[in-house]
Amino acid sequence: MSYFDKRPFVFRIITAALLSLIVLGIGMTFYSYVSSPTDENWFRDPPSNVYTTKSFSAARTSSILGNKSGSPQSDSVLVGDLLTDVNGHKVIHLDDAREATRADTLSILNLVVFRPKTNSSFHFTVSRSDFPEVLLTELPNNAYVYEVIEGGASDRAGMKAGDLILRANGKEFKDAAEADNILRHTQIGRTISYEVYRDNQTYTLQVTLARFGIPFAVLIFFLSGLSYVVIGGFIALKRPQLKAARLLGLAFMALGYVFAILLIRRDIEQTILTTLRNIGLLVGLNFSFAAMMHAGLYFPRERPELLAKRWILYTLYAITTLSLLVGLRMQNNALPLIVLLYGLVVFFVFRKKRSEEYKKLNRVINWTVFLTIVLSVLSPVGIWYFRLNANNAGYMGFFLIFIPLSYLYTIGRYRLLDLNLRVRRNIQYTLITAVWFVVLATVFLNILVTLPNKDLPLPAIVLTGASIEVTDAPLRPEQRELIQRLGFIVLSFAVGFIFWKLGKFGQRFIDRKYFRTQYDYRRAASEIAEVMASKLSMVDLARGIVEKLAELMNLKRAGVLFFRGEQVCCCQEAYGFDGTSWKEFCLGSSTSLIAAIGKFQGEIQVDYLPPAVKENFRQQGFHYVIPVRSKEKLVGAILIGEKLSEATFRQEDFAFLSAAAKQASISIENAFLYEELAEKERLKHELEIARRIQLASLPQSTPKIPGLDISGISIPALEVGGDFFDYLNGETNGLMVIVGDVSGKGTSAALYMSKVQGILRSLHEFHLSPSELFTRANRLLCHDLEKRSFVTVLGAQFNVSTRNVTFARAGHLPLFHYSARGGTVRTLTPKGLGLGLNDEGLFAAELKELSLSYEPGDILVFVTDGVTEAHNPSGELFGDERVVASVREHALKPAAEIQEALLRAVKEFSAETSQHDDETVVIVKVSG
């Protein structure tokens, strides 16, 4: 960890001081540039002083910057051309031309001439005998004017591109720099006298120096550099604790300083300040390339494979230092290109070791740099730069500005350097709308200014007092001027109408892109009402509401809450984000949510909610809450976040939301009812299934036991019940009949019944007697049954061989025994506690087992309390006596008919009274 990683505030102070110095230096240089006198032309040293005084014939073979011709073209060397080369010998003075022609014995001379008027060089061939050396003359030291700003001071004085300045204010000079120095010492507003040479003639021009002047190309390049400084300073000051941000910020600041002052240095004389500025230029140029490459090892992602090779950085800064020292000594600004070349070579060699993430994050930056270079070189601006002069390089600032913007885009899109650079959409909308208006207004006004200077191709129309005539005859000047004015007025209206339409079209497009289009509240209300009417379940309704609201109002986020009985949050749906954590918060904070929202009647800004609720809602991006009430009862709430356009909510928005809340209240109440009905239907369906399962668990067939006629049935009072009976037929000559009753009714009793039935069936595999079976079952059930639940059971083991039955009763009703010999019925009630009431010791001690013999015609009756406790409308119980009476009355019938007669008697006794408990009857009749 470096020094600045631990002390970012130190780096911030140093950066702020450095940034202040950079801005101060740029400001002083800019002020000096724009406030120094200017003649609004550009001149430089000519390539030669050998001047052509008269045109002569020659064969042009090519133009140096043009396309080469396959065959010679007939042309001439023109007056004013400068001879720069003869047979490969450079020509500056007239003696150079003479020596070149005498040195070669070739009959053909190859000439290169520079044509100042077109700023072009051409190749010519001419025979030695036809070369008119006498038409050449040598001019004194001069300055070649390659550009004159249209409408500027020099243009107004009559200066033209291609003029050669021989004297300034009567003074000769040795080169263009000295001529420029003469200009700089002339006071602003004064006139400078230029003696210029044009077409073999001398002219004296009086140029009044301008007070302020800066070419557009230079201004563009200056603003481009200034943007580098601003962006670099912002990154460095914002995240000084990150090495990538420090390096990237310093690199942009240094490069921005270079770009900002590179084309605006206009020094009258060398001072300490100008010397320091020029040193800063060399330092910034060298350091910016090194810092940019160094930053590439950390941005957009760290590259450990390059950082591990420390020689890369050592070599980088060694080359940078050497380049800086040589540049300071030789005043050469081209040496830093070696640093840039070294960085490109390193990244190219190690390009295959880049991670996929690094490639992805760096893609926009790489393409921007590549396209900036290509467009700068190949565009008309770039060609203009190479053909004309270095000052026009300023137009490349159009493209250079995209490099730091590509960095900002990458940082903002992928949230690099822990920076959030997102510009709010409402600000974007305002800026783009303003730019669109300015562009249209500028173009429209430019057209209006240009139109009066155009000669419109209008027909010859003559206006008389009584008619309008179209004629082929020429019009008088005043007639033509009138027609032109009318045509201009009509055309101006037409252009204005076109631009008005174009403006509206463009504004609608911008509105759509930034979600600023107005929505029809009546149609929106109809659509949301349709959604509410078509959704029945709470989840579907909630989801439909948030999705439709987000669609209609162009919301980033929306949510809805449903409150059941103003006590619990029973439904939460969100749109625009993963609402998992939010739903968990709503479920866990139902009481506080309902209490907080219930205090308000209209829309609520979340800032007015309790701190915990406000913090969560703010975190999820919600700004407003609209309560939903039905008959003054809070049944829900609509939550809305920011609009996609990021515009503020208006009163009509809240009016629409209030109307939607009123519509939603009815739908929410209907959803509650629908959920209740659906729940009842579901339970009913599940209970029906449980009933079928329970009935299927009872014996589906009666065992065929010799000498015994058996019939059993169980009728639940509800869909399911707690009564059961079973035939445990473990042996061929025996049968155990079990009849039980679980305390309570309904689902819980049915579940316990299934459990008890399973336990008894499992234990019977051990061939236990009724008392042993019940004892072991009680041991298991004591730990599983609730304290308030218990099971009564009656079990009888029949032995067909001995005609004997052994039975035990665990808290159940007595066993009814009908004796055929005496025609009497007695109730057998051995002692016993219900299963699950007490531990094994007490249960076993209380449980008694009895045995009795049976004869043909005897009947054993097993019933549950649903039979004996059935009551009639007056509250009278059916009782044991009526059971005995029914069995005695139908004793001669088969077991099934005895059972049916007993149940019929219960039903007749109960009359219209509904069955209040499960009814179970098992009849065992001895048949022979």
Side-chain angles (χ1 to χ4, degrees):
M1 184 173 289
S2 68
Y3 177 83
F4 292 121
D5 290 337
K6 299 178 181 179
R7 301 170 181 84
F9 66 92
V10 177
F11 180 83
R12 184 173 277 141
I13 294 172
I14 295 174
T15 302
L18 179 61
L19 186 62
S20 300
L21 290 175
I22 289 175
V23 172
L24 180 63
I26 292 174
M28 292 176 62
T29 304
F30 182 78
Y31 176 78
S32 175
Y33 181 87
V34 300
S35 62
S36 61
T38 176
D39 52 4
E40 297 182 297
N41 70 64
W42 297 96
F43 54 76
R44 65 170 181 247
D45 292 328
S48 172
N49 288 336
V50 179
Y51 188 86
T52 305
T53 59
K54 188 176 181 180
S55 302
F56 61 88
S57 297
R60 190 176 72 180
T61 56
S62 69
S63 171
I64 289 179
L65 294 179
N67 294 325
K68 292 185 177 180
S69 175
S71 59
Q73 299 178 13
S74 177
D75 202 348
S76 299
V77 177
L78 304 179
V79 175
D81 287 352
L82 302 177
L83 183 63
T84 62
D85 189 278
V86 176
N87 284 350
H89 298 281
K90 187 174 181 61
V91 174
I92 296 179
H93 303 289
L94 188 58
D95 289 340
D96 298 332
R98 291 169 179 166
E99 290 178 8
T101 55
R102 293 168 186 166
D104 289 322
T105 59
L106 298 174
S107 60
I108 299 296
L109 296 179
N110 294 306
L111 309 179
V112 178
V113 301
F114 177 75
R115 189 160 293 165
K117 291 182 180 181
T118 60
N119 196 30
S120 303
S121 295
F122 300 94
H123 285 283
F124 291 92
T125 59
V126 63
S127 65
R128 181 183 294 273
S129 58
D130 295 335
F131 180 63
E133 189 174 320
V134 294
L135 299 182
L136 301 178
T137 187
E138 181 175 347
L139 297 177
N141 291 334
N142 61 85
Y144 155 56
V145 178
Y146 57 83
E147 182 182 1
V148 177
I149 298 176
E150 185 178 356
S154 294
D155 186 40
R156 293 192 299 269
M159 187 175 288
K160 298 180 180 179
D163 287 352
L164 302 174
I165 301 176
L166 302 180
R167 293 178 181 82
N169 280 344
K171 298 178 181 178
E172 293 184 352
F173 43 82
K174 63 179 180 179
D175 54 25
E178 189 172 326
D180 189 66
N181 194 39
I182 296 173
L183 168 68
R184 302 293 166 243
H185 281 84
T186 304
Q187 294 181 358
I188 295 174
R190 296 294 181 88
T191 298
I192 185 170
S193 176
Y194 282 128
E195 186 176 321
V196 301
Y197 202 66
R198 180 194 310 156
D199 295 333
N200 210 23
Q201 294 185 19
T202 302
Y203 299 89
T204 300
L205 306 177
Q206 303 298 325
V207 180
T208 302
L209 300 183
R211 182 174 299 276
F212 177 91
I214 181 169
F216 279 114
V218 175
L219 180 62
I220 290 169
F221 203 77
F222 169 78
L223 293 176
S224 172
L226 204 59
S227 67
Y228 274 72
V229 174
V230 172
I231 292 172
F234 168 76
I235 294 174
L237 293 174
K238 199 71 175 176
R239 290 293 179 269
Q241 67 274 21
L242 301 177
K243 185 174 289 186
R246 296 197 297 267
L247 290 169
L248 200 60
L250 291 177
F252 276 132
M253 287 166 58
L255 199 57
Y257 175 75
V258 172
F259 288 165
I261 70 170
L262 189 62
L263 301 183
I264 62 172
R265 293 175 298 162
R266 186 183 284 173
D267 303 326
I268 298 177
E269 55 188 16
Q270 195 73 11
T271 65
I272 296 177
L273 291 177
T274 57
T275 301
L276 291 175
R277 184 203 61 203
N278 292 335
I279 292 174
L281 179 66
L282 283 172
V283 173
L285 197 57
N286 283 275
F287 175 76
S288 61
F289 292 146
M292 189 66 72
M293 178 185 171
H294 195 172
L297 304 183
Y298 297 94
F299 182 88
R301 284 287 184 266
E302 190 172 295
R303 297 191 63 180
E305 75 279 5
L306 296 185
L307 290 171
K309 297 176 174 56
R310 304 185 67 84
W311 61 266
I312 293 177
L313 289 178
Y314 292 152
T315 306
L316 171 67
Y317 285 105
I319 295 175
T320 302
T321 304
L322 181 62
S323 171
L324 178 60
L325 293 176
V326 174
L328 289 173
R329 183 172 183 81
M330 299 177 59
Q331 294 297 307
N332 192 328
N333 293 335
L335 288 173
L337 294 176
I338 300 174
V339 181
L340 179 61
L341 181 62
Y342 169 76
L344 293 175
V345 170
V346 169
F347 281 108
F348 179 78
V349 171
F350 293 97
R351 70 189 186 282
K352 294 184 178 179
K353 293 188 178 182
R354 297 174 299 171
S355 66
E356 291 300 321
E357 183 186 21
Y358 187 94
K359 294 178 184 177
K360 174 186 175 183
L361 297 179
N362 221 31
R363 187 172 294 126
V364 172
I365 297 174
N366 289 339
W367 274 106
T368 301
V369 173
F370 174 75
L371 291 176
T372 297
I373 295 173
V374 171
L375 292 174
S376 298
V377 175
L378 298 183
S379 68
V381 173
I383 295 173
W384 187 20
Y385 158 61
F386 283 111
R387 291 185 59 184
L388 297 180
N389 57 82
N391 291 300
N392 289 323
Y395 285 107
M396 283 191 243
F398 276 125
F399 307 113
L400 292 175
I401 186 61
F402 286 102
I403 293 178
L405 290 180
S406 69
Y407 276 86
L408 288 181
Y409 170 79
T410 302
I411 292 171
R413 179 179 180 184
Y414 299 107
R415 298 291 180 90
L416 302 177
L417 305 181
D418 196 26
L419 285 173
N420 184 10
L421 300 181
R422 177 180 167 274
V423 179
R424 291 184 60 80
R425 293 184 69 91
N426 54 348
I427 298 176
Q428 295 179 34
Y429 173 80
T430 303
L431 291 176
I432 291 178
T433 300
V435 169
W436 174 240
F437 173 78
V438 169
V439 168
L440 282 181
T442 302
V443 175
F444 177 65
L445 292 176
N446 187 60
I447 292 175
L448 289 185
V449 171
T450 306
L451 276 178
N453 300 324
K454 300 295 182 181
D455 188 11
L456 302 178
L458 298 175
I461 301 175
V462 179
L463 301 177
T464 66
S467 64
I468 300 175
E469 298 178 0
V470 179
T471 178
D472 294 332
L475 298 177
R476 295 195 305 273
E478 63 273 12
Q479 291 177 323
R480 182 167 183 79
E481 183 179 359
L482 176 60
I483 296 301
Q484 287 286 334
R485 287 182 178 179
L486 291 176
F488 169 70
I489 293 173
V490 172
L491 192 57
S492 297
F493 275 110
V495 171
F497 178 77
I498 292 172
F499 272 81
W500 175 66
K501 282 291 188 182
L502 184 62
K504 289 185 64 177
F505 174 79
Q507 191 62 49
R508 283 197 300 268
F509 177 79
I510 296 172
D511 289 344
R512 285 197 303 271
K513 286 296 182 181
Y514 285 88
F515 307 99
R516 290 294 185 121
T517 53
Q518 296 294 319
Y519 55 92
D520 186 345
Y521 288 94
R522 185 173 299 177
R523 182 182 63 84
S526 175
E527 288 188 22
I528 200 163
E530 183 179 349
V531 169
M532 294 178 184
S534 61
K535 307 296 183 182
L536 295 178
S537 70
M538 282 193 292
V539 174
D540 290 343
L541 176 62
R543 188 173 295 128
I545 290 174
V546 295
E547 290 177 354
K548 182 55 70 172
L549 281 177
E551 174 191 343
L552 293 173
M553 300 185 69
N554 291 320
L555 300 175
K556 290 181 180 179
R557 294 186 174 187
V560 68
L561 302 173
F562 291 168
F563 303 130
R564 190 191 299 276
E566 293 188 311
Q567 294 180 347
V568 63
C569 182
C570 59
C571 183
Q572 323 83 30
E573 284 297 326
Y575 172 88
F577 68 103
D578 178 16
T580 303
S581 60
W582 174 70
K583 292 179 180 179
E584 292 175 356
F585 170 80
C586 294
L587 287 173
S589 308
S590 292
T591 305
S592 59
L593 274 175
I594 295 170
I597 298 174
K599 297 177 181 178
F600 300 88
Q601 292 295 326
E603 68 273 1
I604 317 162
Q605 197 168 2
V606 296
D607 292 336
Y608 298 117
L609 296 174
V613 179
K614 177 180 71 175
E615 182 180 354
N616 183 271
F617 282 8
R618 273 292 183 189
Q619 185 179 358
Q620 305 305 333
F622 294 126
H623 289 183
Y624 291 94
V625 180
I626 294 86
V628 180
R629 297 181 181 277
S630 176
K631 300 176 183 178
E632 299 304 320
K633 183 175 65 174
L634 185 67
V635 296
I638 296 174
L639 295 86
I640 55 173
E642 197 172 28
K643 292 182 179 181
L644 288 172
S645 63
E646 296 180 353
T648 57
F649 285 91
R650 296 170 296 181
Q651 192 57 43
E652 53 196 25
D653 294 320
F654 293 121
F656 169 69
L657 288 168
S658 297
K662 290 179 181 178
Q663 290 179 317
S665 64
I666 301 174
S667 299
I668 294 172
E669 290 284 7
N670 291 337
F672 286 158
L673 293 175
Y674 173 79
E675 290 291 320
E676 292 175 4
L677 291 175
E679 181 67 14
K680 289 180 180 179
E681 287 296 322
R682 184 184 65 80
L683 291 175
K684 183 178 180 181
H685 178 66
E686 291 181 357
L687 288 173
E688 183 62 32
I689 295 173
R691 178 185 180 88
R692 292 199 299 268
I693 293 173
Q694 184 180 34
L695 293 176
S697 68
L698 299 175
Q700 300 301 302
S701 61
T702 303
K704 304 297 182 182
I705 304 299
L708 297 179
D709 180 14
I710 306 170
S711 180
I713 191 172
S714 181
I715 305 173
L718 305 175
E719 284 80 0
V720 291
D723 280 11
F724 70 94
F725 72 95
D726 208 348
Y727 305 126
L728 305 180
N729 188 9
E731 300 175 355
T732 57
N733 62 342
L735 170 69
M736 181 177 288
V737 176
I738 300 292
V739 174
D741 184 5
V742 179
S743 61
K745 294 184 286 293
T747 307
S748 60
L751 292 174
Y752 280 134
M753 180 273 283
S754 298
K755 186 179 186 70
V756 173
Q757 190 178 27
I759 290 173
L760 294 176
R761 285 183 177 179
S762 299
L763 293 175
H764 181 67
E765 297 295 326
F766 296 99
H767 305 290
L768 304 176
S769 66
S771 60
E772 292 172 336
L773 180 64
F774 294 163
T775 301
R776 292 198 183 186
N778 180 72
R779 188 184 308 158
L780 296 174
L781 291 171
C782 270
H783 303 291
D784 295 338
L785 292 179
E786 294 181 350
K787 295 300 182 182
R788 58 185 179 181
S789 298
F790 61 93
V791 181
T792 64
V793 64
L794 175 63
Q797 176 72 49
F798 289 86
N799 191 319
V800 178
S801 302
T802 61
R803 289 181 176 268
N804 184 64
V805 59
T806 303
F807 63 95
R809 184 186 70 90
H812 198 72
L813 293 179
L815 174 65
F816 295 90
H817 176 220
Y818 170 78
S819 176
R821 177 177 296 181
T824 60
V825 177
R826 59 173 178 163
T827 57
L828 305 174
T829 312
K831 293 175 62 178
L833 297 174
L835 301 178
L837 285 175
N838 214 311
D839 59 12
E840 180 183 357
L842 181 60
F843 179 87
E846 288 292 323
L847 185 64
K848 301 298 181 183
E849 187 176 80
L850 299 178
S851 295
L852 63 87
S853 298
Y854 56 81
E855 298 177 355
D858 285 0
I859 301 172
L860 295 173
V861 180
F862 304 78
V863 297
T864 58
D865 56 4
V867 175
T868 59
E869 294 181 3
H871 57 271
N872 57 19
S874 61
E876 182 183 3
L877 298 180
F878 187 77
D880 293 352
E881 295 80 6
R882 289 185 174 82
V883 174
V884 171
S886 177
V887 171
R888 186 184 295 116
E889 180 181 357
H890 302 282
L892 299 179
K893 297 179 180 179
E897 294 183 14
I898 298 173
Q899 170 195 287
E900 292 175 3
L902 177 57
L903 292 175
R904 187 169 55 250
V906 172
K907 188 174 182 180
E908 291 174 354
F909 173 80
S910 300
E912 297 178 356
T913 305
S914 59
Q915 180 181 345
H916 78 284
D917 200 358
D918 306 331
E919 298 175 353
T920 301
V921 176
V922 176
I923 304 294
V924 179
K925 183 176 182 179
V926 182
S927 58

